Amino acid sequence: MFMICSLVFSVMAIFAPLEILAAHSHLEDGFYPESCPSSEHIVWKAVSAAIRKDPTIPAAIIRLYFHDCFVRGCDASVLLKTTSSKNPSEQDSVANKGLRGLDVIDKVKAKVEAECPGTVSCADILAFAARDSTYKAGGIYYNITSGRRDGTVSLESEVTQFLPPPFLEVPPMIQFFTNKSMSVKEMTALFGAHSIGLSQCSTFSSRLYRFNSSHPQDPTLDSKFVNFLKKKCPENATNSVDLDVVTPYRLDNQYYKNLKRNMGVLTSDQVLASSPLILEI
């Protein structure tokens, strides 16, 4: 069983692996010092304002960034809307139907455009917003390079091909990340983003009511936690619950502690704590 990640590792390492998914290789520190020197400050102020209104925004933006990077690299293709019924975009995928924060990124982009028209890519804005959300939720800042270029292709069919579903066991889950040149250690750190955020009841309701022919409930779940989730998620419920019920708005290592107590909401989370394939970190 893996050891509980240190706070510094679990927070700072969450997005470092995603840099290798950028759809280009010429990223730089401070890409806009002359063309738009205030760009990152504008993003910071706009994201901070959004979070003051809604404390769940950091999780939404972080998830949005992950869903973008894992399909075509960090190119903002997840932001493209469908323009033809024959070619639905990533946003129309079932896996992306619950994405939030798109309106926040639109507002941030508008503020940056007002200051520096046609200069800062949506891909960089999304990356900056995810970094700032991580800091606001976890209190630790990490440096991020910039210079991403926006993608012009967004295909619904590619989402399920590249995004791991929430019910996977460890071996196929590792394969998803291996295909993106990520190690098991990086994968486990990236999952730490589930320290904040929500999950729709329908995503894990089978663990509570229809697990298998021998067990109506998933036996890997703590029994008290099952009762708690059932109160939050009656059968056929359409609402959502916190992925970390202890510190739901704080990006910390409580997520890993919950897994060791059999309190992982998603199957793909809980299996991390019991698989011999997961390295001690």
Side-chain angles (χ1 to χ4, degrees):
M1 183 178 291
F2 63 84
M3 297 170 61
I4 296 174
C5 294
S6 70
L7 178 61
V8 173
F9 174 77
S10 62
V11 176
M12 292 189 72
I14 283 175
F15 290 119
L18 291 183
E19 287 295 282
I20 66 175
L21 301 183
H24 22 68
S25 58
H26 302 294
L27 302 183
E28 303 174 9
D29 286 322
F31 187 77
Y32 303 103
E34 296 181 0
S35 59
C36 192
S38 60
S39 58
E40 294 189 49
H41 182 64
I42 294 172
V43 174
W44 166 261
K45 287 184 62 178
V47 169
S48 297
I51 294 172
R52 284 195 294 271
K53 294 180 180 179
D54 182 357
T56 70
I57 286 299
I61 293 177
I62 287 169
R63 182 170 181 244
L64 188 60
Y65 185 45
F66 170 71
H67 279 228
D68 178 49
C69 290
F70 245 62
V71 177
R72 285 185 161 261
C74 309
D75 67 345
S77 58
V78 73
L79 303 180
L80 295 176
K81 294 178 173 62
T82 296
T83 57
S84 169
S85 59
K86 295 181 180 180
N87 296 295
S89 73
E90 293 172 33
Q91 288 189 20
D92 287 327
S93 169
V94 173
N96 284 338
K97 287 298 185 181
L99 285 180
R100 298 184 304 116
L102 292 164
D103 57 332
V104 174
I105 299 300
D106 284 345
K107 292 177 182 177
V108 174
K109 175 64 174 176
K111 292 180 181 297
V112 174
E113 279 292 302
E115 181 72 17
C116 311
T119 303
V120 184
S121 68
C122 291
D124 276 340
I125 288 174
L126 181 53
F128 294 152
R131 177 200 56 195
D132 295 345
S133 295
T134 302
Y135 179 81
K136 296 292 286 189
I140 294 178
Y141 181 89
Y142 67 93
N143 187 48
I144 192 167
T145 54
S146 49
R148 296 164 188 78
R149 291 293 175 259
D150 292 337
T152 58
V153 176
S154 183
L155 302 174
E156 175 193 20
S157 59
E158 292 186 338
V159 177
T160 53
Q161 179 182 351
F162 294 110
L163 272 179
F167 50 77
L168 282 184
E169 295 294 330
V170 171
M173 184 163 56
I174 289 177
Q175 190 59 55
F176 266 96
F177 287 83
T178 300
N179 290 343
K180 296 293 184 180
S181 301
M182 290 187 182
S183 68
V184 173
K185 192 173 185 178
E186 289 171 328
M187 178 193 78
T188 306
L190 196 58
F191 268 67
H194 284 173
S195 174
I196 55 177
L198 303 167
S199 177
Q200 293 181 328
C201 293
S202 58
T203 304
F204 59 87
S205 62
S206 61
R207 302 185 72 198
L208 307 179
Y209 301 103
R210 301 172 299 279
F211 187 64
N212 59 33
S213 58
S214 303
H215 301 89
Q217 301 168 6
D218 186 343
T220 66
L221 277 172
D222 176 82
S223 58
K224 292 182 179 179
F225 190 52
V226 168
N227 293 333
F228 170 83
L229 290 177
K230 281 188 170 183
K231 290 179 181 179
K232 296 288 185 179
C233 295
E235 283 197 81
N236 303 315
T238 59
N239 59 295
S240 300
V241 299
D242 295 309
L243 287 168
D244 173 6
V245 300
V246 182
T247 56
Y249 303 131
R250 186 69 182 171
L251 188 58
D252 54 21
N253 62 2
Q254 183 63 47
Y255 160 82
Y256 299 100
K257 295 177 182 178
N258 292 345
L259 297 189
K260 294 189 73 173
R261 296 169 184 164
N262 295 320
M263 294 171 58
V265 173
L266 304 177
T267 298
S268 55
D269 284 336
Q270 191 58 57
V271 294
L272 291 178
S274 57
S275 173
L277 297 176
I278 301 299
L279 304 176
E280 291 191 350
I281 56 177

